[in-house]
Short mmCIF file of all heavy atoms in Angstrom, two decimals:
data_model
loop_
_atom_site.label_atom_id
_atom_site.label_comp_id
_atom_site.label_asym_id
_atom_site.label_seq_id
_atom_site.Cartn_x
_atom_site.Cartn_y
_atom_site.Cartn_z
N TRP A 14 -63.34 -11.12 128.40
CA TRP A 14 -63.53 -10.02 129.36
C TRP A 14 -63.57 -8.66 128.67
O TRP A 14 -63.09 -7.67 129.20
CB TRP A 14 -62.41 -10.03 130.40
CG TRP A 14 -62.62 -10.95 131.54
CD1 TRP A 14 -63.46 -10.77 132.61
CD2 TRP A 14 -61.96 -12.21 131.77
NE1 TRP A 14 -63.37 -11.84 133.48
CE2 TRP A 14 -62.45 -12.74 132.99
CE3 TRP A 14 -61.00 -12.94 131.08
CZ2 TRP A 14 -62.03 -13.94 133.53
CZ3 TRP A 14 -60.57 -14.13 131.60
CH2 TRP A 14 -61.08 -14.63 132.81
N GLY A 15 -64.15 -8.61 127.49
CA GLY A 15 -64.20 -7.33 126.77
C GLY A 15 -62.92 -7.09 125.99
O GLY A 15 -61.97 -7.89 126.07
N ASP A 16 -62.92 -6.02 125.21
CA ASP A 16 -61.75 -5.64 124.39
C ASP A 16 -61.35 -6.73 123.41
O ASP A 16 -60.19 -6.85 123.06
CB ASP A 16 -60.52 -5.33 125.28
CG ASP A 16 -60.80 -4.25 126.29
OD1 ASP A 16 -61.52 -3.30 125.93
OD2 ASP A 16 -60.32 -4.36 127.43
N GLU A 17 -62.30 -7.53 122.97
CA GLU A 17 -61.96 -8.63 122.06
C GLU A 17 -61.71 -8.15 120.63
O GLU A 17 -61.27 -8.95 119.80
CB GLU A 17 -63.09 -9.69 122.03
CG GLU A 17 -63.34 -10.40 123.35
CD GLU A 17 -64.40 -9.70 124.17
OE1 GLU A 17 -64.78 -8.56 123.80
OE2 GLU A 17 -64.83 -10.27 125.18
N LYS A 19 -64.33 -6.37 119.07
CA LYS A 19 -65.70 -6.44 118.50
C LYS A 19 -65.94 -5.33 117.49
O LYS A 19 -66.66 -5.53 116.52
CB LYS A 19 -66.75 -6.33 119.62
CG LYS A 19 -66.78 -7.50 120.56
CD LYS A 19 -67.78 -7.27 121.66
CE LYS A 19 -67.42 -6.13 122.58
NZ LYS A 19 -66.21 -6.31 123.38
N ARG A 35 -76.69 -0.72 119.49
CA ARG A 35 -76.00 -0.95 120.77
C ARG A 35 -77.06 -1.15 121.83
O ARG A 35 -78.04 -0.43 121.88
CB ARG A 35 -75.13 0.25 121.14
CG ARG A 35 -73.74 0.06 120.64
CD ARG A 35 -72.60 0.38 121.54
NE ARG A 35 -72.64 0.17 122.94
CZ ARG A 35 -71.88 0.87 123.78
NH1 ARG A 35 -71.09 1.80 123.32
NH2 ARG A 35 -71.93 0.62 125.07
N GLY A 38 -74.27 -1.15 128.27
CA GLY A 38 -73.01 -0.47 128.55
C GLY A 38 -73.11 1.02 128.25
O GLY A 38 -74.20 1.55 127.98
N GLY A 39 -71.98 1.67 128.31
CA GLY A 39 -71.97 3.11 128.04
C GLY A 39 -70.61 3.48 127.49
O GLY A 39 -70.04 2.70 126.71
N ASN A 40 -70.10 4.63 127.94
CA ASN A 40 -68.79 5.04 127.42
C ASN A 40 -67.65 4.43 128.22
O ASN A 40 -66.53 4.93 128.19
CB ASN A 40 -68.68 6.56 127.31
CG ASN A 40 -68.89 7.26 128.61
OD1 ASN A 40 -69.82 6.95 129.36
ND2 ASN A 40 -68.04 8.21 128.94
N ASN A 41 -67.95 3.33 128.94
CA ASN A 41 -66.87 2.47 129.46
C ASN A 41 -66.29 1.66 128.30
O ASN A 41 -65.19 1.15 128.37
CB ASN A 41 -67.36 1.54 130.59
CG ASN A 41 -68.67 0.83 130.25
OD1 ASN A 41 -69.32 1.12 129.25
ND2 ASN A 41 -69.08 -0.10 131.09
N ALA A 42 -67.07 1.50 127.24
CA ALA A 42 -66.62 0.74 126.08
C ALA A 42 -65.74 1.61 125.19
O ALA A 42 -65.84 2.84 125.23
CB ALA A 42 -67.83 0.27 125.27
N GLY A 43 -64.95 0.97 124.39
CA GLY A 43 -64.14 1.72 123.43
C GLY A 43 -63.88 0.84 122.23
O GLY A 43 -63.35 -0.25 122.38
N HIS A 44 -64.33 1.26 121.08
CA HIS A 44 -64.10 0.49 119.86
C HIS A 44 -63.15 1.28 118.96
O HIS A 44 -63.40 2.45 118.70
CB HIS A 44 -65.41 0.29 119.10
CG HIS A 44 -66.31 -0.71 119.72
ND1 HIS A 44 -67.61 -0.86 119.34
CD2 HIS A 44 -66.09 -1.61 120.68
CE1 HIS A 44 -68.16 -1.83 120.06
NE2 HIS A 44 -67.26 -2.29 120.88
N ASP A 116 -68.80 7.09 141.29
CA ASP A 116 -68.00 5.97 140.77
C ASP A 116 -66.59 6.07 141.34
O ASP A 116 -66.01 5.10 141.85
CB ASP A 116 -67.97 6.02 139.23
CG ASP A 116 -67.59 4.69 138.59
OD1 ASP A 116 -67.25 3.74 139.33
OD2 ASP A 116 -67.64 4.58 137.35
N GLU A 120 -65.05 3.76 144.48
CA GLU A 120 -63.85 2.97 144.16
C GLU A 120 -62.72 3.31 145.14
O GLU A 120 -62.02 2.42 145.61
CB GLU A 120 -63.46 3.26 142.71
CG GLU A 120 -62.35 2.41 142.18
CD GLU A 120 -62.70 0.95 141.86
OE1 GLU A 120 -63.75 0.45 142.32
OE2 GLU A 120 -61.90 0.31 141.19
N ARG A 123 -63.22 1.51 148.40
CA ARG A 123 -62.97 0.06 148.43
C ARG A 123 -61.50 -0.18 148.73
O ARG A 123 -60.63 0.42 148.09
CB ARG A 123 -63.31 -0.58 147.07
CG ARG A 123 -64.78 -0.67 146.81
CD ARG A 123 -65.08 -1.35 145.49
NE ARG A 123 -66.45 -1.06 145.11
CZ ARG A 123 -66.84 -0.28 144.09
NH1 ARG A 123 -65.94 0.25 143.29
NH2 ARG A 123 -68.11 -0.05 143.87
N LYS A 128 -60.99 -3.37 145.20
CA LYS A 128 -61.20 -2.40 144.12
C LYS A 128 -61.55 -3.15 142.84
O LYS A 128 -60.94 -4.15 142.51
CB LYS A 128 -59.93 -1.58 143.89
CG LYS A 128 -59.66 -0.57 144.98
CD LYS A 128 -58.61 0.44 144.56
CE LYS A 128 -58.12 1.28 145.73
NZ LYS A 128 -59.17 2.03 146.42
N ILE A 129 -62.57 -2.62 142.13
CA ILE A 129 -63.03 -3.29 140.91
C ILE A 129 -62.18 -2.85 139.71
O ILE A 129 -62.00 -3.59 138.77
CB ILE A 129 -64.53 -2.97 140.68
CG1 ILE A 129 -65.35 -3.64 141.79
CG2 ILE A 129 -65.01 -3.45 139.30
CD1 ILE A 129 -66.79 -3.19 141.84
N GLY A 130 -61.61 -1.65 139.83
CA GLY A 130 -60.86 -1.12 138.69
C GLY A 130 -61.83 -0.63 137.63
O GLY A 130 -61.67 -0.91 136.45
N THR A 131 -62.88 0.09 138.05
CA THR A 131 -63.88 0.56 137.08
C THR A 131 -63.24 1.59 136.14
O THR A 131 -62.14 2.09 136.41
CB THR A 131 -65.10 1.24 137.75
OG1 THR A 131 -64.72 2.54 138.18
CG2 THR A 131 -65.63 0.43 138.91
N THR A 132 -63.96 1.92 135.09
CA THR A 132 -63.45 2.92 134.15
C THR A 132 -63.72 4.34 134.65
O THR A 132 -63.38 5.31 133.98
CB THR A 132 -64.12 2.74 132.77
OG1 THR A 132 -65.54 2.85 132.94
CG2 THR A 132 -63.80 1.38 132.16
N ALA A 133 -64.37 4.47 135.81
CA ALA A 133 -64.66 5.77 136.45
C ALA A 133 -65.56 6.65 135.58
O ALA A 133 -65.48 7.88 135.66
CB ALA A 133 -63.37 6.49 136.81
N ARG A 134 -66.36 6.05 134.75
CA ARG A 134 -67.24 6.82 133.87
C ARG A 134 -68.65 6.99 134.45
O ARG A 134 -69.54 7.51 133.79
CB ARG A 134 -67.35 6.16 132.49
CG ARG A 134 -66.02 6.00 131.75
CD ARG A 134 -65.44 7.37 131.43
NE ARG A 134 -64.31 7.29 130.52
CZ ARG A 134 -63.03 7.22 130.88
NH1 ARG A 134 -62.70 7.19 132.16
NH2 ARG A 134 -62.07 7.18 129.98
N GLY A 135 -68.88 6.44 135.64
CA GLY A 135 -70.21 6.58 136.27
C GLY A 135 -71.18 5.48 135.88
O GLY A 135 -72.39 5.57 136.16
N ILE A 136 -70.67 4.44 135.26
CA ILE A 136 -71.53 3.38 134.72
C ILE A 136 -72.29 2.65 135.84
O ILE A 136 -73.53 2.55 135.80
CB ILE A 136 -70.69 2.36 133.90
CG1 ILE A 136 -69.86 3.06 132.83
CG2 ILE A 136 -71.56 1.24 133.34
CD1 ILE A 136 -70.60 3.75 131.73
N GLY A 137 -71.55 2.14 136.83
CA GLY A 137 -72.18 1.37 137.91
C GLY A 137 -73.23 2.20 138.65
O GLY A 137 -74.38 1.77 138.80
N PRO A 138 -72.88 3.41 139.10
CA PRO A 138 -73.89 4.24 139.80
C PRO A 138 -75.12 4.57 138.93
O PRO A 138 -76.23 4.64 139.43
CB PRO A 138 -73.10 5.50 140.16
CG PRO A 138 -71.69 5.02 140.32
CD PRO A 138 -71.52 3.96 139.25
N TYR A 140 -76.43 2.61 136.52
CA TYR A 140 -77.27 1.40 136.49
C TYR A 140 -77.88 1.13 137.87
O TYR A 140 -78.99 0.60 137.95
CB TYR A 140 -76.45 0.18 136.03
CG TYR A 140 -76.32 0.07 134.53
CD1 TYR A 140 -75.08 0.21 133.91
CD2 TYR A 140 -77.42 -0.19 133.72
CE1 TYR A 140 -74.95 0.09 132.53
CE2 TYR A 140 -77.30 -0.31 132.34
CZ TYR A 140 -76.06 -0.17 131.76
OH TYR A 140 -75.94 -0.28 130.38
N ALA A 226 -71.16 -4.60 123.83
CA ALA A 226 -69.97 -3.96 124.40
C ALA A 226 -69.51 -4.83 125.57
O ALA A 226 -70.24 -5.70 126.03
CB ALA A 226 -70.30 -2.55 124.88
N GLN A 227 -68.30 -4.59 126.06
CA GLN A 227 -67.70 -5.45 127.09
C GLN A 227 -67.76 -6.93 126.67
O GLN A 227 -67.75 -7.21 125.49
CB GLN A 227 -68.36 -5.23 128.46
CG GLN A 227 -68.04 -3.87 129.09
CD GLN A 227 -68.95 -2.76 128.63
OE1 GLN A 227 -70.15 -2.94 128.53
NE2 GLN A 227 -68.41 -1.61 128.35
N GLY A 228 -67.88 -7.84 127.63
CA GLY A 228 -67.85 -9.26 127.24
C GLY A 228 -68.55 -10.14 128.25
O GLY A 228 -68.92 -9.68 129.35
N LEU A 231 -67.74 -10.25 131.91
CA LEU A 231 -67.99 -9.00 132.65
C LEU A 231 -69.49 -8.81 132.86
O LEU A 231 -69.93 -7.78 133.38
CB LEU A 231 -67.43 -7.80 131.88
CG LEU A 231 -65.90 -7.65 131.87
CD1 LEU A 231 -65.50 -6.49 130.95
CD2 LEU A 231 -65.35 -7.41 133.27
N PRO A 239 -67.92 -9.88 141.95
CA PRO A 239 -68.34 -8.51 141.61
C PRO A 239 -67.39 -7.79 140.65
O PRO A 239 -67.57 -6.59 140.42
CB PRO A 239 -68.33 -7.82 142.98
CG PRO A 239 -67.18 -8.46 143.69
CD PRO A 239 -67.16 -9.89 143.22
N TYR A 240 -66.38 -8.49 140.11
CA TYR A 240 -65.45 -7.83 139.19
C TYR A 240 -66.05 -7.86 137.78
O TYR A 240 -65.55 -8.57 136.89
CB TYR A 240 -64.09 -8.51 139.26
CG TYR A 240 -63.51 -8.46 140.65
CD1 TYR A 240 -63.59 -9.56 141.51
CD2 TYR A 240 -62.93 -7.29 141.14
CE1 TYR A 240 -63.10 -9.50 142.80
CE2 TYR A 240 -62.44 -7.21 142.43
CZ TYR A 240 -62.53 -8.32 143.26
OH TYR A 240 -62.05 -8.24 144.54
N VAL A 241 -67.12 -7.15 137.61
CA VAL A 241 -67.90 -7.16 136.38
C VAL A 241 -68.37 -5.74 136.09
O VAL A 241 -68.21 -4.85 136.92
CB VAL A 241 -69.15 -8.08 136.52
CG1 VAL A 241 -68.74 -9.54 136.62
CG2 VAL A 241 -70.00 -7.69 137.74
N THR A 242 -69.00 -5.56 134.96
CA THR A 242 -69.65 -4.28 134.70
C THR A 242 -71.10 -4.41 135.15
O THR A 242 -71.53 -5.48 135.61
CB THR A 242 -69.50 -3.86 133.22
OG1 THR A 242 -69.90 -2.49 133.10
CG2 THR A 242 -70.31 -4.75 132.28
N SER A 243 -71.89 -3.33 135.04
CA SER A 243 -73.21 -3.37 135.67
C SER A 243 -74.34 -3.65 134.68
O SER A 243 -75.50 -3.41 134.99
CB SER A 243 -73.47 -2.04 136.38
OG SER A 243 -72.52 -1.87 137.39
N SER A 244 -74.00 -4.18 133.50
CA SER A 244 -75.04 -4.48 132.51
C SER A 244 -74.92 -5.93 132.04
O SER A 244 -74.10 -6.68 132.55
CB SER A 244 -74.92 -3.51 131.33
OG SER A 244 -73.70 -3.73 130.65
N THR A 274 -57.31 -11.39 127.23
CA THR A 274 -56.88 -10.20 127.99
C THR A 274 -57.97 -9.80 128.97
O THR A 274 -59.13 -10.20 128.82
CB THR A 274 -56.59 -8.97 127.09
OG1 THR A 274 -57.80 -8.57 126.45
CG2 THR A 274 -55.53 -9.25 126.06
N ARG A 275 -57.58 -9.00 129.94
CA ARG A 275 -58.55 -8.47 130.89
C ARG A 275 -58.01 -7.15 131.42
O ARG A 275 -56.80 -7.03 131.65
CB ARG A 275 -58.74 -9.51 132.01
CG ARG A 275 -59.30 -8.98 133.30
CD ARG A 275 -59.89 -10.01 134.24
NE ARG A 275 -61.10 -9.38 134.78
CZ ARG A 275 -61.95 -9.91 135.61
NH1 ARG A 275 -61.77 -11.14 136.04
NH2 ARG A 275 -62.99 -9.25 136.02
N VAL A 276 -58.87 -6.16 131.62
CA VAL A 276 -58.47 -4.93 132.34
C VAL A 276 -59.25 -4.87 133.63
O VAL A 276 -60.33 -5.44 133.74
CB VAL A 276 -58.71 -3.60 131.56
CG1 VAL A 276 -57.60 -3.31 130.59
CG2 VAL A 276 -60.04 -3.58 130.88
N GLY A 277 -58.70 -4.16 134.61
CA GLY A 277 -59.37 -4.10 135.90
C GLY A 277 -59.03 -5.34 136.72
O GLY A 277 -58.23 -6.19 136.29
N SER A 278 -59.66 -5.43 137.89
CA SER A 278 -59.31 -6.50 138.82
C SER A 278 -60.15 -7.74 138.57
O SER A 278 -61.05 -7.74 137.75
CB SER A 278 -59.55 -6.03 140.26
OG SER A 278 -59.27 -4.67 140.38
N GLY A 279 -59.84 -8.79 139.34
CA GLY A 279 -60.62 -10.02 139.27
C GLY A 279 -59.81 -11.19 138.75
O GLY A 279 -58.76 -10.99 138.14
N GLY A 301 -55.79 -0.05 126.97
CA GLY A 301 -57.22 0.27 126.86
C GLY A 301 -57.54 1.44 125.95
O GLY A 301 -56.86 2.47 125.99
N THR A 302 -58.60 1.30 125.13
CA THR A 302 -59.06 2.39 124.27
C THR A 302 -59.66 3.51 125.10
O THR A 302 -59.54 4.69 124.77
CB THR A 302 -60.16 1.88 123.31
OG1 THR A 302 -59.72 0.67 122.73
CG2 THR A 302 -60.48 2.87 122.22
N THR A 303 -60.32 3.14 126.21
CA THR A 303 -61.02 4.13 127.01
C THR A 303 -60.13 4.75 128.08
O THR A 303 -60.12 5.95 128.27
CB THR A 303 -62.26 3.47 127.66
OG1 THR A 303 -63.08 2.96 126.61
CG2 THR A 303 -63.07 4.46 128.48
N THR A 304 -59.35 3.91 128.78
CA THR A 304 -58.58 4.43 129.91
C THR A 304 -57.07 4.42 129.66
O THR A 304 -56.32 4.98 130.46
CB THR A 304 -58.86 3.58 131.17
OG1 THR A 304 -58.51 2.22 130.87
CG2 THR A 304 -60.31 3.66 131.59
N ARG A 306 -55.20 2.02 130.10
CA ARG A 306 -54.54 1.11 131.04
C ARG A 306 -53.94 -0.09 130.29
O ARG A 306 -54.56 -0.61 129.36
CB ARG A 306 -55.56 0.55 132.05
CG ARG A 306 -56.04 1.57 133.05
CD ARG A 306 -57.02 0.97 134.03
NE ARG A 306 -58.31 0.68 133.41
CZ ARG A 306 -59.33 0.11 134.05
NH1 ARG A 306 -59.20 -0.25 135.31
NH2 ARG A 306 -60.47 -0.11 133.44
N ARG A 308 -53.42 -3.81 129.47
CA ARG A 308 -54.30 -4.96 129.72
C ARG A 308 -53.49 -6.14 130.24
O ARG A 308 -52.34 -6.33 129.82
CB ARG A 308 -55.02 -5.35 128.44
CG ARG A 308 -55.95 -4.27 127.95
CD ARG A 308 -56.66 -4.66 126.65
NE ARG A 308 -57.46 -3.55 126.16
CZ ARG A 308 -57.56 -3.20 124.87
NH1 ARG A 308 -56.95 -3.88 123.94
NH2 ARG A 308 -58.31 -2.17 124.53
N ARG A 309 -54.08 -6.91 131.11
CA ARG A 309 -53.47 -8.16 131.57
C ARG A 309 -53.62 -9.17 130.43
O ARG A 309 -54.67 -9.22 129.79
CB ARG A 309 -54.20 -8.65 132.82
CG ARG A 309 -54.13 -7.64 133.97
CD ARG A 309 -55.26 -7.81 134.98
NE ARG A 309 -55.22 -9.06 135.69
CZ ARG A 309 -56.23 -9.52 136.44
NH1 ARG A 309 -57.35 -8.82 136.56
NH2 ARG A 309 -56.11 -10.66 137.07
P1 IMP B 501 -67.27 -0.23 134.80
O1 IMP B 501 -67.97 -0.82 133.63
O2 IMP B 501 -66.60 1.09 134.47
O3 IMP B 501 -68.11 -0.17 136.02
O4 IMP B 501 -66.05 -1.21 135.17
C1 IMP B 501 -66.26 -2.50 135.71
C2 IMP B 501 -65.25 -3.51 135.18
O5 IMP B 501 -65.50 -3.73 133.80
C3 IMP B 501 -63.79 -3.05 135.27
O6 IMP B 501 -62.97 -4.19 135.49
C4 IMP B 501 -63.52 -2.49 133.89
O7 IMP B 501 -62.15 -2.52 133.57
C5 IMP B 501 -64.32 -3.44 133.04
N1 IMP B 501 -64.75 -2.86 131.76
C6 IMP B 501 -65.74 -1.98 131.55
N2 IMP B 501 -65.86 -1.68 130.25
C7 IMP B 501 -64.95 -2.42 129.62
C8 IMP B 501 -64.60 -2.58 128.24
O8 IMP B 501 -65.18 -1.98 127.33
N3 IMP B 501 -63.60 -3.44 127.99
C9 IMP B 501 -62.96 -4.14 128.96
N4 IMP B 501 -63.25 -4.03 130.25
C10 IMP B 501 -64.23 -3.17 130.57
#
Side-chain angles (χ1 to χ4, degrees):
W14 276 284
D16 304 322
E17 296 92 350
K19 292 176 295 295
R35 267 225 35 205
N40 58 314
N41 47 352
H44 286 168
D116 199 355
E120 187 74 344
R123 287 182 197 111
K128 287 194 192 303
I129 293 169
T131 76
T132 58
R134 300 296 191 267
I136 306 295
Y140 278 114
Q227 290 85 43
L231 287 174
Y240 301 100
V241 291
T242 192
S243 298
S244 65
T274 64
R275 159 162 220 178
V276 278
S278 326
T302 312
T303 302
T304 58
R306 289 181 289 178
R308 296 179 184 140
R309 300 157 65 192

